[in-house]
Amino acid sequence: MEESVPPAHEEPARLARDDEFGPRTARLPDDEEPRWVARDESVPPTRFATYDEEAHDENFGPLSKSDQAAPERWFRTATLAARVPGAALKATLRARSEGKRPTWNPSFEAAVTALRSAASNAPRDVGLLRAATSISIPGPLLPNGCLRATGKLARADGTQLTLEWVWPRARTPHAPLRPCSTSAAVDATFVASPAFRDVLADALALVFVHGGAHCLCCRGTHRDLAFRLALAIDGVVVLPEFRRPPDAPVGEALEDVRLAYAR
């Protein structure tokens, strides 16, 4: 029986699988006949390379900077605080003078440029990135007209999920503020009061899952947006402090969101 030979422009398909470092490829089992697929010439050949388990560097991944020398990594990290505002200022001046992007205003161009600078110069370490990004918005910068309170929900495993409720102050004008609070916080016991239960029964409710690449930021970093949403819908915004990878599996984060939604 004559063995079939694939055309020169085709290559055997590989079984792709994902792990914590992204896509990787593996050979088809020996007892499975290969399927031939047309290869996209725009795809680099490395995409079809066989995954070498022994040669795989477990320290390499999306949060590594193996392509940079250590002194350069440390220099970029140490100067990050100056690089980001410097990039934003440069973008603002460029937008005003050149106007290369007619659909972008100077503020938006400055914000995008600052984010790009932060992404390219930030340390590739989850702990350091969390220290830099999980910073709550200062109370004086929050929009006026909202109140907030924190509470706990019991998980199935006995641990507790922290929630933050945000709602328009006009719905509970007599709610007492927590002493010395600068961020419109009321006592946690207020969420169990009849007045707050009436708000929950009557107002719209929105579960707001904060962003941060699934592993960064916290409810405090998105508090400004939560305040604005609460005012816009004249209702309650709920922010769950869900568990984040890599400290916890993605499934546990989803369970926290489901628990907040069921509440």
Side-chain angles (χ1 to χ4, degrees), residues 13-26:
R14 307 295 188 195
L15 291 179
R17 68 180 191 266
D18 293 337
D19 62 1
E20 65 270 29
F21 300 114
R24 61 184 187 176
T25 59

Side-chain angles (χ1 to χ4, degrees), residues 57-81:
D57 181 5
E58 293 295 340
N59 295 320
F60 181 78
L63 294 182
S64 69
K65 270 196 173 179
S66 300
D67 58 327
Q68 294 181 0
E72 182 181 358
R73 293 201 305 270
W74 283 107
F75 176 75
R76 286 179 172 272
T77 300
T79 57
L80 180 62

Side-chain angles (χ1 to χ4, degrees), residues 31-181:
D31 58 346
E32 183 174 342
E33 184 176 352
R35 293 170 285 108
W36 300 99
V37 293
R39 176 173 173 181
D40 185 353
E41 295 298 328
S42 65
V43 178
T46 52
R47 179 174 178 178
F48 294 88
T50 302
Y51 180 81
D52 188 345
E53 198 75 49
E54 295 181 356
H56 179 58
D57 181 5
E58 293 295 340
N59 295 320
F60 181 78
L63 294 182
S64 69
K65 270 196 173 179
S66 300
D67 58 327
Q68 294 181 0
E72 182 181 358
R73 293 201 305 270
W74 283 107
F75 176 75
R76 286 179 172 272
T77 300
T79 57
L80 180 62
R83 285 174 177 271
V84 173
L89 177 60
K90 179 181 177 181
T92 303
L93 297 176
R94 184 178 64 235
R96 294 182 184 279
S97 59
E98 301 177 13
K100 290 184 177 180
R101 300 179 178 91
T103 60
W104 290 16
N105 60 41
S107 298
F108 185 71
E109 180 154 355
V112 171
T113 305
L115 288 173
R116 286 176 175 170
S117 178
S120 62
N121 296 294
R124 296 306 195 257
D125 178 88
V126 173
L128 292 177
L129 287 172
R130 282 181 176 173
T133 59
S134 298
I135 300 175
S136 298
I137 301 296
L141 299 181
L142 294 173
N144 294 323
C146 277
L147 296 175
R148 68 181 185 90
T150 57
K152 303 284 187 180
L153 287 180
R155 298 189 181 101
D157 60 1
T159 60
Q160 290 188 317
L161 168 65
T162 301
L163 296 179
E164 181 169 310
W165 286 273
V166 178
W167 67 94
R169 187 186 185 99
R171 285 190 168 271
T172 56
H174 303 296
L177 288 177
R178 205 165 57 193
C180 303
S181 173

